[in-house]
Amino acid sequence: MTDKKPRPLLKVENLTVRFPVKRGGLFSKKAYLYAVDDISFEVARGETLAIVGESGSGKSTAALAIARLVEAHSGSVMLGDDDFLSLKDEALRQARAQVQFIFQDPYASLNPRLRAEAVVREPLDSLGTGNPNDRQATIDELFKAVGLRPEQQRLFPHQFSGGQRQRIGVARALATRPELIICDEPVSALDVAVQAQILNLLRKLQKDFDLTYLFISHDLGVVQHMCDSVAVMYMGKIVEHADRLSLFNNPLHPYTKALLSAVPSVDKKRRLETKRILIPGDPPDPLSPPKGCRFANRCPAAQEQCTQSQPLLRHMKTGHSVACHRVSDDGVAPL
Amino acid sequence: MTPLLQVDNLRIELTTRDGVAPVIDDLSLQLNAGETLSFVGESGCGKSMTALALMGLLPEGVGRVASGKILFDGEDLTQASDARLREIRGNEISMIFQEPMTSLNPVYTIGEQIAEVLRRHQNLSKKAAWNKAIELLDAVRIPNPSARVSDYPHQMSGGQRQLVMIAIALACEPKILIADEPTTALDVTVQAQIFDLLRDLGREFGTAIILITHDMGAVADMAERMIVMYAGRKAEAGPVEQVIEHPRHPYTKGLISCVPHLIATLTEERPELTEVAGIVPSLRDFGRDQCLFASRCDRADQQCKSSRPPEIEFDDGQSSACWHAEQL
């Protein structure tokens, strides 16, 4: 933590996303599922924040809401000086060029009827970036930047391998020269040997284009490699948020510990040192979350107070933030 | 001690539009009772084909065992009749698949699906099979089994469905359990539970496990021995710890170092990941007399491109099919 803190590129405050759920009869009360429940974080320019969590934790929904691909219920998303969530019409269209998305499945996220060059060109045309006459030159550059050959521009998506398709997806995300790229599980659909190519590419591009990444993943090994800081989500809430080294070397929240301890490792030393923390059972019903800590029913360290009141995210001196009653103020973990 | 399963020089051919391709080319292996053996490799390397061949489930009319033997308890499964194979499947060798979402029948309760196996293979009565199904759900640690037994698959989470699949696979106490990417679609905490369960079952019943995966971490966690497959051929084999510590094949090396792992103490250092350039060769090229990894290997020389490397043996049963294995 430096004293002179540059203004964050992305500042998310109290973001909440809820979905209406049909339940009961015609006159029953409308029920909502809070997929993302009051989360806040910042990402500095040029850095990578990873959001991790298991399926259903709300990490993808949070990403979609930040990119305005699903509607947020409340909260704000500041992108530089703009309140991204309140922008409308032309201003929104302009701002969209600043936030681009790389999707999980390169087999489903490219239009099969467009040639690769048209896929990459689409955001340029629809968001009106740059002079139309220069667009071909931009596309040439992008293909080079992501490691595809110029003659491959004329091919259709099915003529590429999975890794190459994801490169097209990356080129498309870069096309409008965005500041923030949201990577939603960008390598989890790829073969292991190909993952490295995409991860190395993303890191190189981050340096070359001064990009800021919001990196969504459930693969903690990949997150460890890519991120500068990590937010751990459980049932729509951020339970722990810290820089990379603090989180992986000194996790505080019992859920983070359990998550890390569940990852099998090739490192013998880690295997011997890591004590497996079992969290039996399932998360509670998201439609009626408990009034206390949402992790309490699976937490080996849970006590009376954990089922009584919801722990707030507390900022520790170390720069760690954690939402757990059992973590002491000077940052001693219960497990 | 004769091994529980012994595969000798197995060759499996698939008939494709471009002709006949050997998807498994000269594979030999041994599996002892109670042992866990892991197959590792990218998709398209023949891992799943090997599993299907062991089960006698090769795609009909397309795939066939061209030569070699699969000896299970001394009996050659490649010569066994369909009826005999049906007897062995489920009773002696059973399998769990990657997709717990699609491997269960959505219109039957899970109890009925477990009981069906017991009634077919062990001729249990309806009542007895149902009670055994509850016991099995309890054995795979599904909470409140006597109530959950009449649930339909959609009422369970992905992890629980995979547990049900394991219960079905274990119903007849098989000697070998083949797990084909059993946790790929699941969260890590669920994966850890399933691995714990498989490990305990191996210990308790002496079930031998063949774990097919692409995750080196899972291999290190679960298996005693591993076989690295590449393009239908055995690239490297040996005891897990030894192979991970000192891989003797560039492909194994690539597989280990192309994935960022969690290590005991992280530091600021983040080296570039090793890229294994290119992709697995197409089936058309599978039978060639050369090292099939040569096109992706930075050590490849003329010899690698002109003749297939033999299997070179090292200490403690490690072996590698690479012309440069000794220098690695």
Side-chain angles (χ1 to χ4, degrees):
Chain A
M1 296 278 133
T2 47
D3 300 322
K4 212 174 65 192
K5 220 174 160 189
R7 201 145 43 120
L9 173 76
L10 176 72
K11 185 171 181 177
V12 174
E13 274 184 323
N14 309 100
L15 183 70
T16 300
V17 183
R18 61 177 201 183
F19 299 115
V21 187
K22 272 215 181 98
R23 202 183 220 195
L26 184 59
F27 299 105
S28 61
K29 227 175 98 196
K30 229 184 189 168
Y32 289 98
L33 188 150
Y34 285 82
V36 176
D37 198 350
D38 194 16
I39 65 168
S40 305
F41 56 80
E42 295 177 0
V43 193
R45 192 178 294 272
E47 297 211 328
T48 302
L49 171 75
I51 303 183
V52 303
E54 297 187 283
S55 34
S57 61
K59 55 190 193 306
S60 283
T61 309
L64 290 168
I66 290 165
R68 286 192 70 169
L69 297 175
V70 302
E71 203 184 328
H73 169 61
S74 61
S76 75
V77 173
M78 297 295 291
L79 193 71
D81 297 321
D82 301 330
D83 181 0
F84 192 55
L85 292 187
S86 65
L87 294 177
K88 282 201 178 73
D89 305 329
E90 185 55 27
L92 172 63
R93 208 166 68 101
Q94 295 292 332
R96 278 204 190 278
Q98 298 307 313
V99 183
Q100 290 290 307
F101 221 95
I102 298 172
F103 296 94
Q104 172 169 4
D105 186 355
Y107 293 84
S109 59
L110 303 179
N111 186 338
R113 299 169 70 164
L114 293 185
R115 292 180 196 276
E117 57 181 0
V119 170
V120 177
R121 189 189 187 98
E122 216 177 0
L124 292 173
D125 288 343
S126 57
L127 298 178
T129 311
N131 186 330
N133 298 328
D134 299 338
R135 284 188 189 146
Q136 190 51 50
T138 312
I139 294 167
D140 291 345
E141 237 174 82
L142 288 166
F143 267 72
K144 200 168 156 227
V146 299
L148 292 170
R149 294 191 304 277
E151 67 268 23
Q152 290 176 314
Q153 291 184 16
R154 301 289 299 161
L155 300 179
F156 286 99
H158 73 266
Q159 291 167 296
F160 292 93
S161 68
Q164 288 174 324
R165 272 184 241 206
Q166 197 59 304
R167 284 175 195 270
I168 299 174
V170 173
R172 174 175 60 185
L174 281 176
T176 59
R177 287 292 147 89
E179 293 191 276
L180 174 71
I181 295 189
I182 300 174
C183 313
D184 189 4
E185 306 263 12
V187 295
S188 53
L190 303 175
D191 240 322
V192 275
V194 182
Q195 290 190 4
Q197 300 170 13
I198 299 296
L199 294 177
N200 282 345
L201 174 69
L202 287 173
R203 276 172 65 89
K204 180 176 167 295
L205 293 172
Q206 179 164 38
K207 253 179 264 147
D208 293 353
F209 293 92
D210 195 23
L211 294 168
T212 307
Y213 288 146
L214 189 62
F215 196 93
I216 316 290
S217 181
H218 68 276
D219 186 330
L220 291 154
V222 170
V223 163
Q224 169 277 114
H225 185 73
M226 296 297 290
C227 73
D228 297 299
S229 53
V230 193
V232 183
M233 282 186 76
Y234 185 77
M235 281 194 77
K237 290 261 184 211
I238 290 181
V239 295
E240 183 162 4
H241 183 175
D243 64 280
R244 171 174 173 263
L245 291 185
S246 315
L247 191 110
F248 284 100
N249 290 337
N250 182 28
L252 294 180
H253 197 283
Y255 177 64
T256 315
K257 287 208 155 185
L259 202 59
L260 288 173
S261 79
V263 181
S265 174
V266 296
D267 183 12
K268 197 176 168 193
K269 186 152 166 271
R270 182 173 184 273
R271 277 209 307 283
L272 295 174
E273 280 176 5
T274 309
K275 197 179 71 185
R276 273 287 311 288
I277 296 167
L278 293 172
I279 44 169
D282 292 312
D285 179 11
L287 281 174
S288 48
K291 77 172 179 196
C293 172
R294 294 179 181 192
F295 185 57
N297 70 329
R298 303 170 77 190
C299 180
Q303 288 180 341
E304 179 70 28
Q305 59 170 340
C306 301
T307 57
Q308 295 306 317
S309 68
Q310 238 183 66
L312 298 172
L313 201 62
R314 285 179 294 152
H315 302 279
M316 305 281 157
K317 278 189 218 111
T318 50
H320 235 98
S321 301
V322 62
C324 175
H325 289 306
R326 299 288 325 278
V327 175
S328 69
D329 285 333
D330 43 1
V332 178
L335 289 175
Chain B
M1 191 174 78
T2 50
L4 184 61
L5 179 78
Q6 179 165 346
V7 175
D8 288 331
N9 306 96
L10 185 68
R11 180 182 170 94
I12 295 168
E13 290 177 348
L14 278 195
T15 315
T16 65
R17 262 186 297 183
D18 300 322
V20 174
V23 279
I24 299 295
D25 197 349
D26 197 20
L27 176 74
S28 301
L29 65 93
Q30 294 189 341
L31 177 71
N32 296 318
E35 188 185 34
T36 302
L37 171 72
S38 194
F39 282 116
V40 199
E42 286 169 273
S43 32
C45 282
K47 298 170 295 179
S48 297
M49 258 320 152
T50 314
L52 292 179
L54 295 178
M55 296 283 288
L57 288 174
L58 287 173
E60 226 168 299
V62 180
R64 63 181 197 99
V65 176
S67 61
K69 283 184 189 150
I70 301 172
L71 296 170
F72 171 73
D73 260 352
E75 182 181 356
D76 189 357
L77 298 188
T78 60
Q79 305 300 324
S81 67
D82 283 353
R84 175 71 189 131
L85 279 175
R86 263 199 301 280
E87 245 172 62
I88 290 171
R89 271 198 299 267
N91 269 331
E92 312 277 357
I93 307 178
S94 52
M95 182 158 175
I96 47 179
F97 298 89
Q98 176 170 355
E99 288 282 339
M101 307 295 167
T102 51
S103 345
L104 288 168
N105 190 332
V107 299
Y108 289 99
T109 62
I110 55 163
E112 284 168 317
Q113 297 185 55
I114 302 173
E116 183 192 2
V117 181
L118 292 161
R119 283 162 55 201
R120 284 232 156 190
H121 284 287
Q122 304 200 324
N123 295 321
L124 292 188
S125 73
K126 229 175 167 171
K127 184 93 186 41
W130 187 262
N131 288 334
K132 183 85 195 289
I134 296 173
E135 269 171 48
L136 281 163
L137 284 182
D138 193 39
V140 296
R141 298 169 199 163
I142 287 184
N144 197 5
S146 47
R148 297 310 295 271
V149 69
S150 25
D151 274 2
Y152 287 91
H154 75 266
Q155 290 167 295
M156 316 195 92
S157 69
Q160 286 178 330
R161 273 182 256 191
Q162 193 62 295
L163 292 174
V164 171
M165 288 306 297
I166 295 176
I168 292 176
L170 292 174
C172 303
E173 293 170 21
K175 296 198 178 100
I176 301 176
L177 177 67
I178 302 175
D180 188 0
E181 306 254 12
T183 57
T184 309
L186 304 174
D187 282 322
V188 277
T189 54
V190 181
Q191 165 173 299
Q193 285 171 35
I194 287 182
F195 282 172
D196 282 347
L197 175 69
L198 289 177
R199 216 173 302 149
D200 291 352
L201 291 169
R203 224 172 282 147
E204 221 168 295
F205 302 107
T207 313
I209 298 172
I210 296 180
L211 177 72
I212 299 175
T213 180
H214 59 261
D215 180 355
M216 279 289 175
V219 175
D221 212 24
M222 283 293 293
E224 285 116 43
R225 283 189 305 124
M226 67 196 268
I227 295 178
V228 181
M229 300 280 291
Y230 188 75
R233 296 175 186 175
K234 196 181 348 176
E236 181 162 7
V240 168
E241 251 174 47
Q242 193 178 325
V243 173
I244 288 177
E245 190 81 6
H246 188 176
R248 295 277 194 174
H249 195 288
Y251 183 58
T252 316
K253 224 176 179 158
L255 276 184
I256 296 171
S257 57
C258 70
V259 184
H261 295 283
L262 287 184
I263 48 174
T265 316
L266 277 190
T267 58
E268 278 302 339
E269 231 173 284
R270 264 181 277 184
E272 282 259 292
L273 298 171
T274 316
E275 292 181 19
V276 186
I279 52 168
V280 183
S282 76
L283 275 180
R284 221 175 315 164
D285 298 326
F286 266 37
R288 295 215 174 143
D289 183 21
Q290 64 165 92
C291 173
L292 292 174
F293 186 61
S295 62
R296 303 174 74 183
C297 181
D298 49 11
R299 287 176 164 265
D301 56 19
Q302 207 41 53
Q303 188 179 30
C304 303
K305 287 176 183 136
S306 57
S307 61
R308 178 176 173 176
E311 219 172 280
I312 299 165
E313 302 276 342
F314 294 92
D315 294 346
D316 297 322
Q318 192 175 357
S319 67
S320 162
C322 172
W323 286 113
H324 303 289
E326 265 138 15
Q327 287 117 53
L328 277 164

